[in-house]
Amino acid sequence: MTALSAESRLRRLLRVFSQTGGEGQWTRPFDNLPVETRAYLLERAALAADELPVLAFFRGPEQWVLVSTERILLSQEHGFRSIPWRDLENATTDTAHVQAAGSKLSLSRLRLQLRDAADLEVDVEPGPPFFGLWNVLKTLAVLRRE
């Protein structure tokens, strides 16, 4: 996937998002976010000239995730992180969270497994947006190896 253009990566990831989950109150394709939210995220993300924003979960200035055509950027209780695709090994959720959630539609915590063996937990919107974002992240982890 890294051989694809930024525009091709954007279209492919948005297709994965819409086919496996979809929009929610706080999780949307970047272009469907409110103008002020897009401006806020672009200011924080400092995207490269050939890097495009794809989709975002934005609950507020302290809790957001932005997937671009090159990186995963996030701001949550552990601070700001910028994770290049090449550093993402997998995206999953832990068994204890699944059991505590009670139903699949209540899942809201993703675990990003990084190549340096670190795990990073990210709280996101439950329901279809959770599954769409999860599948996009799993797609990044698989396709970054190509």
Side-chain angles (χ1 to χ4, degrees), residues 30 33-46 58 66:
F30 186 80
L33 293 168
V35 173
E36 60 277 357
T37 302
R38 288 186 302 212
Y40 180 88
L41 290 173
L42 287 175
E43 182 181 321
R44 301 307 180 280
F58 187 84
L66 174 64

Side-chain angles (χ1 to χ4, degrees), residues 1 6-7 9-15 17 28-33 47 51-56 65-71 85 136 140:
M1 183 152 182
E7 188 64 39
R9 283 182 256 166
L10 180 138
R11 285 192 307 271
R12 188 165 181 179
L13 293 175
L14 288 178
R15 188 171 58 250
F17 179 70
R28 300 180 188 166
F30 186 80
D31 289 343
N32 293 358
L33 293 168
L47 299 177
E51 183 178 14
L52 300 173
V54 179
L55 65 101
V65 176
L66 174 64
V67 176
S68 79
T69 54
E70 299 290 331
R71 301 176 286 159
W85 284 13
V136 164
L140 298 181

Side-chain angles (χ1 to χ4, degrees), residues 76-125:
Q76 299 214 332
E77 61 189 40
H78 42 69
F80 177 80
R81 293 283 304 259
S82 174
I83 304 164
W85 284 13
R86 69 181 174 277
D87 291 346
L88 181 65
E89 191 66 34
N90 194 14
T92 188
T93 190
D94 64 43
T95 305
H97 178 61
V98 172
Q99 292 173 345
S103 79
K104 287 184 178 182
L105 289 178
S106 298
L107 294 174
S108 64
R109 189 175 312 132
L110 288 170
R111 174 175 286 151
L112 305 183
Q113 296 172 327
L114 307 180
R115 289 180 61 195
D116 66 4
D119 281 2
L120 184 64
E121 288 199 345
V122 181
D123 287 314
V124 295
E125 183 174 4

Side-chain angles (χ1 to χ4, degrees), residues 18 22 53 56 66-67 74 91 93 101 125 127 133 135 137 143 145:
S18 67
L66 174 64
V67 176
L74 49 99
T93 190
E125 183 174 4
L133 181 58
N135 280 287
L137 294 172
L143 295 177
R145 297 179 193 125

